Amino acid sequence: MILEKMIEAYLRNQVKKRGGIAFKFVSPGYNGVPDRLIVMPGGSMYFVEVKNERGRLSPLQVQCHKMLKALGVHVYVIWSKEDVDAFMEIINV
């Protein structure tokens, strides 16, 4: 089983390789926000929650993701290195 921190490191590296930044995102006083705020060249931004195959989203995370999506924000959950690769293709970089 691959550790969550390994998937997160792979995500950071793939984003950096393409000229972007993967900020560790913390929102004091508001639980459930995604782990990373990805900012890519041209100003595209995405919230990304990283889990491993045994991870699960908490009810607060599910609620926060729904709220962000309702506001038109791009939110992704990544469960593996393969998901990172698919994410990079989706955002077309």
Side-chain angles (χ1 to χ4, degrees), residues 21-80:
I21 302 171
F23 291 105
K24 181 71 173 174
F25 189 73
V26 179
S27 182
Y30 201 92
N31 296 325
V33 296
D35 299 318
R36 294 279 169 177
L37 175 59
I38 308 296
V39 181
M40 298 304 292
S44 301
M45 293 190 293
Y46 310 88
F47 279 106
V48 175
E49 179 67 38
V50 179
K51 298 287 184 187
N52 69 12
E53 61 190 33
R54 291 192 181 167
R56 66 174 188 83
L57 294 174
S58 72
L60 278 174
Q61 288 173 319
V62 171
Q63 179 182 9
C64 183
H65 293 189
K66 284 181 183 177
M67 178 190 68
L68 290 170
K69 287 178 181 179
L71 292 169
V73 176
H74 300 285
V75 181
Y76 294 89
V77 180
I78 290 178
W79 304 89
S80 66

Side-chain angles (χ1 to χ4, degrees), residues 2-20:
I2 189 165
L3 299 175
E4 185 176 308
K5 68 181 180 179
M6 296 169 77
I7 299 167
E8 198 164 359
Y10 183 69
L11 171 66
R12 285 192 321 269
N13 289 334
Q14 292 304 307
V15 168
K16 183 178 180 181
K17 192 186 298 188
R18 290 163 175 85

